[in-house]
Coordinates of all heavy atoms in Angstrom, one line a residue:
G16 N 209.7 130.4 -105.8 CA 208.9 130.7 -107.1 C 209.4 131.9 -107.8 O 208.7 132.5 -108.5
G17 N 210.6 132.4 -107.5 CA 211.1 133.7 -108.1 C 211.1 133.7 -109.6 O 211.1 134.8 -110.2
H18 N 211.2 132.5 -110.2 CA 211.2 132.5 -111.7 C 209.8 132.3 -112.3 O 209.8 132.2 -113.5 CB 212.3 131.5 -112.2 CG 212.1 130.2 -111.7 ND1 212.4 129.8 -110.4 CD2 211.4 129.1 -112.2 CE1 212.1 128.6 -110.2 NE2 211.5 128.1 -111.3
S19 N 208.8 132.1 -111.5 CA 207.5 132.0 -112.0 C 206.8 133.3 -112.3 O 207.4 134.3 -112.0 CB 206.6 131.1 -111.1 OG 206.5 131.8 -109.8
T20 N 205.6 133.3 -112.9 CA 205.0 134.6 -113.2 C 204.7 135.4 -112.0 O 204.7 136.6 -112.0 CB 203.6 134.4 -114.0 OG1 202.9 133.4 -113.2 CG2 203.9 133.7 -115.4
T21 N 204.4 134.7 -110.8 CA 204.3 135.5 -109.6 C 205.3 134.9 -108.6 O 205.3 133.8 -108.3 CB 202.9 135.4 -109.0 OG1 202.6 134.0 -108.8 CG2 201.8 136.1 -109.8
P22 N 206.3 135.8 -108.1 CA 207.4 135.3 -107.4 C 206.9 135.0 -106.0 O 207.5 135.6 -105.0 CB 208.4 136.4 -107.5 CG 207.6 137.6 -107.7 CD 206.4 137.2 -108.5
D23 N 206.0 134.1 -105.7 CA 205.6 133.8 -104.4 C 206.2 132.5 -103.9 O 206.5 131.7 -104.8 CB 204.0 133.6 -104.3 CG 203.3 134.9 -104.8 OD1 203.8 136.0 -104.7 OD2 202.1 134.8 -105.3
D24 N 206.5 132.5 -102.7 CA 207.0 131.2 -102.1 C 206.0 130.5 -101.3 O 205.2 131.1 -100.5 CB 208.2 131.6 -101.2 CG 209.4 132.1 -101.9 OD1 209.4 132.0 -103.2 OD2 210.3 132.7 -101.3
L25 N 206.1 129.2 -101.2 CA 205.1 128.4 -100.4 C 205.9 127.7 -99.2 O 207.0 127.1 -99.5 CB 204.5 127.2 -101.3 CG 203.8 126.1 -100.5 CD1 202.5 126.7 -100.0 CD2 203.6 124.9 -101.5
L26 N 205.4 127.8 -98.1 CA 205.8 127.0 -96.9 C 204.8 126.0 -96.6 O 203.7 126.3 -96.4 CB 206.1 128.0 -95.7 CG 206.3 127.2 -94.4 CD1 207.6 126.4 -94.4 CD2 206.4 128.3 -93.2
L27 N 205.2 124.7 -96.6 CA 204.4 123.6 -96.2 C 205.0 123.1 -94.9 O 206.2 122.7 -94.9 CB 204.4 122.4 -97.3 CG 203.6 121.2 -96.8 CD1 202.2 121.4 -96.6 CD2 203.9 120.1 -97.8
M28 N 204.2 123.2 -93.8 CA 204.7 122.8 -92.5 C 203.6 122.2 -91.8 O 202.4 122.8 -91.7 CB 205.3 123.9 -91.8 CG 205.9 123.6 -90.4 SD 206.6 125.0 -89.6 CE 205.2 125.8 -88.9
D29 N 203.7 120.9 -91.2 CA 202.7 120.3 -90.4 C 201.3 120.2 -91.3 O 200.3 120.3 -90.7 CB 202.4 121.1 -89.1 CG 203.6 121.2 -88.2 OD1 204.4 120.2 -88.3 OD2 203.8 122.2 -87.5
G30 N 201.5 119.9 -92.5 CA 200.3 119.8 -93.4 C 199.7 121.1 -93.8 O 198.7 120.9 -94.6
I31 N 200.1 122.2 -93.4 CA 199.5 123.4 -93.7 C 200.3 124.2 -94.7 O 201.5 124.3 -94.5 CB 199.2 124.2 -92.4 CG1 198.4 123.5 -91.4 CG2 198.7 125.6 -92.7 CD1 198.3 124.1 -90.1
C32 N 199.7 124.7 -95.7 CA 200.4 125.6 -96.7 C 200.2 127.0 -96.4 O 199.0 127.5 -96.1 CB 199.8 125.3 -98.1 SG 200.3 123.7 -98.7
R33 N 201.2 127.8 -96.5 CA 201.2 129.2 -96.3 C 202.0 129.9 -97.4 O 203.1 129.5 -97.7 CB 201.8 129.7 -95.0 CG 201.8 131.2 -94.9 CD 202.1 131.7 -93.5 NE 202.2 133.2 -93.7 CZ 203.0 133.9 -92.9 NH1 203.6 133.4 -91.9 NH2 202.9 135.2 -93.1
W34 N 201.4 130.9 -98.1 CA 202.0 131.5 -99.3 C 202.5 132.8 -98.7 O 202.0 133.6 -97.9 CB 201.0 131.8 -100.3 CG 200.7 130.6 -101.1 CD1 199.7 129.7 -100.9 CD2 201.5 130.0 -102.2 NE1 199.8 128.6 -101.8 CE2 200.9 128.8 -102.6 CE3 202.7 130.4 -102.9 CZ2 201.4 128.0 -103.7 CZ3 203.1 129.6 -103.9 CH2 202.5 128.5 -104.3
F35 N 203.8 133.2 -99.3 CA 204.4 134.4 -99.0 C 204.5 135.2 -100.3 O 205.2 134.8 -101.3 CB 205.9 134.2 -98.4 CG 205.9 133.5 -97.1 CD1 205.7 132.2 -97.0 CD2 206.0 134.3 -96.0 CE1 205.7 131.6 -95.7 CE2 206.1 133.7 -94.7 CZ 205.8 132.3 -94.6
S36 N 203.8 136.4 -100.3 CA 203.8 137.2 -101.5 C 205.1 137.7 -101.9 O 206.0 138.0 -101.0 CB 202.8 138.3 -101.4 OG 201.6 137.9 -101.3
G37 N 205.4 137.7 -103.2 CA 206.7 138.2 -103.7 C 206.6 139.4 -104.6 O 205.5 139.8 -105.1
E38 N 207.7 140.0 -104.8 CA 207.8 141.2 -105.7 C 208.7 140.8 -106.8 O 209.8 140.4 -106.6 CB 208.4 142.3 -104.8 CG 208.7 143.6 -105.6 CD 209.6 144.6 -104.8 OE1 209.5 144.5 -103.5 OE2 210.2 145.4 -105.4
R39 N 208.2 141.2 -108.0 CA 209.1 140.9 -109.1 C 210.1 142.1 -109.3 O 209.7 143.3 -109.3 CB 208.2 140.9 -110.5 CG 209.0 140.9 -111.8 CD 209.5 139.6 -112.2 NE 208.6 138.4 -112.1 CZ 209.1 137.2 -111.7 NH1 210.4 137.1 -111.5 NH2 208.3 136.2 -111.6
V40 N 211.3 141.8 -109.1 CA 212.4 142.9 -109.3 C 213.0 142.6 -110.6 O 213.6 141.6 -111.0 CB 213.5 142.7 -108.2 CG1 214.6 143.7 -108.3 CG2 212.8 142.8 -106.8
E41 N 212.9 143.7 -111.5 CA 213.5 143.6 -112.8 C 215.0 143.9 -112.8 O 215.5 145.0 -112.5 CB 212.9 144.6 -113.7 CG 211.4 144.3 -114.0 CD 211.1 142.9 -114.6 OE1 212.0 142.4 -115.4 OE2 210.1 142.3 -114.2
T42 N 215.8 142.8 -112.9 CA 217.3 142.9 -113.0 C 217.8 141.7 -113.7 O 217.2 140.6 -113.8 CB 217.9 142.9 -111.5 OG1 219.3 142.9 -111.6 CG2 217.4 141.6 -110.8
S43 N 219.0 141.9 -114.2 CA 219.7 140.8 -114.9 C 220.6 140.1 -113.9 O 221.2 139.0 -114.2 CB 220.5 141.3 -116.2 OG 221.5 142.2 -115.7
S44 N 220.7 140.5 -112.8 CA 221.6 140.0 -111.7 C 220.7 139.0 -110.7 O 220.4 139.5 -109.6 CB 222.2 141.1 -110.9 OG 223.0 141.9 -111.8
T45 N 220.5 137.9 -111.3 CA 219.6 136.9 -110.5 C 220.4 135.6 -110.1 O 219.9 134.7 -109.6 CB 218.4 136.6 -111.3 OG1 218.9 136.0 -112.6 CG2 217.6 137.8 -111.5
H46 N 221.7 135.6 -110.5 CA 222.4 134.4 -110.2 C 222.6 134.2 -108.7 O 223.0 135.1 -108.0 CB 223.8 134.5 -110.9 CG 224.6 133.2 -110.7 ND1 224.3 132.0 -111.5 CD2 225.7 132.9 -110.0 CE1 225.2 131.1 -111.2 NE2 226.0 131.6 -110.2
G47 N 222.3 133.0 -108.2 CA 222.5 132.7 -106.8 C 221.3 132.9 -105.9 O 221.5 132.9 -104.7
T48 N 220.1 133.2 -106.4 CA 219.0 133.6 -105.6 C 218.6 132.4 -104.7 O 218.3 132.6 -103.5 CB 217.8 134.0 -106.4 OG1 217.6 133.1 -107.4 CG2 218.1 135.4 -107.0
G49 N 218.6 131.2 -105.3 CA 218.2 130.0 -104.5 C 219.2 129.7 -103.3 O 218.7 129.4 -102.1
C50 N 220.5 129.8 -103.6 CA 221.5 129.5 -102.6 C 221.5 130.6 -101.5 O 221.6 130.4 -100.3 CB 222.9 129.5 -103.2 SG 223.0 128.2 -104.5
T51 N 221.2 131.9 -102.0 CA 221.1 132.9 -101.1 C 219.9 132.8 -100.1 O 220.0 133.0 -98.9 CB 221.1 134.3 -101.8 OG1 222.3 134.4 -102.6 CG2 221.0 135.5 -100.9
F52 N 218.8 132.4 -100.7 CA 217.6 132.2 -99.9 C 217.8 131.2 -98.8 O 217.5 131.4 -97.7 CB 216.3 131.9 -100.8 CG 215.2 131.6 -99.9 CD1 214.4 132.7 -99.4 CD2 214.8 130.3 -99.6 CE1 213.3 132.4 -98.6 CE2 213.7 130.0 -98.8 CZ 212.9 131.1 -98.3
S53 N 218.3 130.0 -99.2 CA 218.5 128.9 -98.3 C 219.5 129.3 -97.2 O 219.3 128.9 -96.0 CB 218.9 127.6 -99.0 OG 220.1 127.7 -99.7
S54 N 220.6 130.0 -97.6 CA 221.6 130.4 -96.6 C 221.0 131.5 -95.6 O 221.2 131.4 -94.4 CB 222.8 131.0 -97.3 OG 223.4 130.1 -98.1
A55 N 220.2 132.4 -96.1 CA 219.5 133.4 -95.3 C 218.5 132.6 -94.3 O 218.4 133.0 -93.2 CB 218.8 134.4 -96.2
L56 N 217.8 131.7 -94.9 CA 216.8 130.9 -94.1 C 217.6 130.2 -92.9 O 217.2 130.2 -91.7 CB 216.1 129.9 -94.9 CG 215.1 129.0 -94.2 CD1 214.0 129.8 -93.6 CD2 214.5 127.9 -95.2
A57 N 218.7 129.6 -93.3 CA 219.5 128.8 -92.2 C 220.0 129.8 -91.2 O 219.9 129.5 -90.0 CB 220.7 128.1 -92.9
A58 N 220.4 131.0 -91.6 CA 220.9 132.0 -90.6 C 219.7 132.4 -89.7 O 219.9 132.6 -88.5 CB 221.4 133.2 -91.3
R59 N 218.5 132.6 -90.2 CA 217.4 133.1 -89.4 C 216.9 132.0 -88.5 O 216.6 132.2 -87.3 CB 216.2 133.5 -90.3 CG 216.4 134.6 -91.3 CD 216.9 135.9 -90.7 NE 216.4 136.3 -89.3 CZ 216.8 137.3 -88.6 NH1 217.7 138.1 -89.0 NH2 216.2 137.6 -87.5
I60 N 217.1 130.7 -88.9 CA 216.7 129.6 -88.0 C 217.7 129.6 -86.9 O 217.4 129.4 -85.7 CB 216.7 128.3 -88.8 CG1 215.5 128.2 -89.8 CG2 216.6 127.1 -87.8 CD1 215.6 127.2 -90.8
A61 N 219.1 129.7 -87.2 CA 220.1 129.7 -86.2 C 219.9 130.9 -85.2 O 220.2 130.7 -84.0 CB 221.5 129.8 -86.9
L62 N 219.3 132.0 -85.7 CA 219.0 133.1 -84.7 C 217.8 132.9 -83.9 O 217.5 133.8 -83.0 CB 218.9 134.4 -85.6 CG 220.2 134.9 -86.2 CD1 220.0 136.0 -87.2 CD2 221.2 135.4 -85.1

């Protein structure tokens, strides 16, 4: 939800929702945030 009014992310797993609070970072350099997130997530899972 980085582009929403509150940049919080939702994890839905096993029917349970958990919210992760986000911080709005003011920058014009936002290209690739989704791809970066999914790649970082894949790396953390692999670890």
Side-chain angles (χ1 to χ4, degrees):
H18 55 281
S19 61
T20 52
T21 55
D23 300 336
D24 293 347
L25 167 70
L26 168 61
L27 172 65
M28 182 178 78
D29 300 327
I31 299 169
C32 290
R33 175 169 177 208
W34 285 94
F35 294 79
S36 295
E38 170 191 340
R39 171 82 43 218
V40 177
E41 295 304 324
T42 180
S43 62
S44 299
T45 58
H46 185 73
T48 51
C50 299
T51 300
F52 176 82
S53 61
S54 296
L56 178 63
R59 296 312 316 179
I60 293 165
L62 289 170

